[in-house]
Amino acid sequence: MSGLKNNVTVRYVQAEDREDWIRLWLKFIATYDDPKLPKGIENANFDRFIDPQVKMWSAIAFLKDDSTGREKAIGFTDFFIHPSTWQIEDKTYLNDLFVDDDFRVGGVGRKLMEFVYNEADKLGAPSVYWNTDHFNHRAQLLYTKVGYLTEKRIYRRKGY
Ligand SMILES: CC(C)(COP(=O)(O)OP(=O)(O)OC[C@H]1O[C@@H](n2cnc3c(N)ncnc32)[C@H](O)[C@@H]1OP(=O)(O)O)[C@@H](O)C(=O)NCCC(=O)NCCS
């Protein structure tokens, strides 16, 4: 897998990427099996990504096949910015990160996170944060390299 990332390009989704993004999204959410996920959320998400009025975005990692010149979508990340009373500038929340099974541990997850960091800087919202399940050790192998673990716990309104 080493060298994989050198053949990978990350870019914002465009309207024609809907099928690729939804294919990867369905694989991503299959691992969570969340009964609260609304029906049709995939298209609602994608509509928002390509709506210039909505400050929520997605980027896809494309792997270039040198022999055919074709590109294959192999991962994605979704993120949005929001204001905070604790700082003047907006913050960036990294909502989702996924790399397709066959392409993991090749630096693609890191590349997607670096894309978000760069865009967050450009958006004036460099403080990027995210959360993960305590048992998601695989993701944390990456997160400890690109970030640090905070002391916070996440609480939620009951019923939500
Ligand atoms: C989490 C996920 C996105 C990581 O993507 P990835 O492409 O495998 O990650 P990368 O290869 O860029 O980075 C992994 C880093 O952790 C290290 N790492 C990953 N797996 C490792 C392992 N099994 N043993 C040792 N180190 C490992 C790598 O060395 C790398 O560090 P480096 O950049 O310094 O070399 C991917 O595993 C995934 O999609 N998982 C399922 C969905 C998920 O859990 N998403 C996160 C939700 S919060």
Side-chain angles (χ1 to χ4, degrees):
M1 254 329 145
S2 69
L4 174 73
K5 63 174 183 264
N6 301 329
N7 282 334
V8 169
T9 311
V10 177
R11 64 157 171 80
Y12 280 112
V13 293
Q14 296 160 8
E16 62 268 27
D17 300 320
R18 187 181 291 265
E19 204 178 300
D20 275 333
W21 184 85
I22 290 180
R23 173 177 58 80
L24 295 169
W25 165 262
L26 293 176
K27 285 187 172 186
F28 175 55
I29 59 165
T31 60
Y32 288 93
D33 194 25
D34 185 344
K36 289 185 193 144
L37 211 54
K39 229 180 171 14
I41 185 73
E42 57 274 15
N43 275 303
N45 282 338
F46 200 88
D47 289 344
R48 287 180 286 178
F49 298 147
I50 57 173
D51 181 344
Q53 303 300 320
V54 182
K55 291 179 176 179
M56 182 163 84
W57 302 275
S58 180
I60 293 184
F62 288 94
L63 175 65
K64 191 166 185 189
D65 181 333
D66 279 339
S67 52
T68 62
R70 284 220 195 96
E71 288 197 317
K72 181 181 170 61
I74 62 166
F76 70 95
T77 184
D78 307 323
F79 60 101
F80 59 85
I81 60 174
H82 65 87
S84 163
T85 55
W86 285 63
Q87 55 185 60
I88 304 289
E89 70 269 24
D90 282 351
K91 297 177 84 139
T92 299
Y93 185 67
L94 198 158
N95 214 154
D96 309 303
L97 180 73
F98 176 77
V99 175
D100 214 350
D101 303 62
D102 291 346
F103 307 99
R104 289 185 187 161
V105 202
V108 181
R110 180 189 273 263
K111 202 158 183 168
L112 284 160
M113 292 198 75
E114 285 169 354
F115 180 90
V116 176
Y117 285 0
N118 282 332
E119 295 308 302
D121 287 346
K122 286 191 220 159
L123 289 160
S127 170
V128 181
Y129 71 106
W130 62 95
N131 69 65
T132 192
D133 292 307
H134 66 89
F135 50 80
N136 194 341
H137 301 293
R138 192 163 199 173
Q140 289 170 66
L141 284 167
L142 168 61
Y143 299 160
T144 52
K145 291 190 169 170
V146 297
Y148 65 93
L149 182 63
T150 74
E151 302 276 299
K152 299 284 185 200
R153 293 189 172 201
I154 298 171
Y155 281 82
R156 289 200 177 158
R157 181 179 177 178
K158 287 179 182 160
Y160 288 86

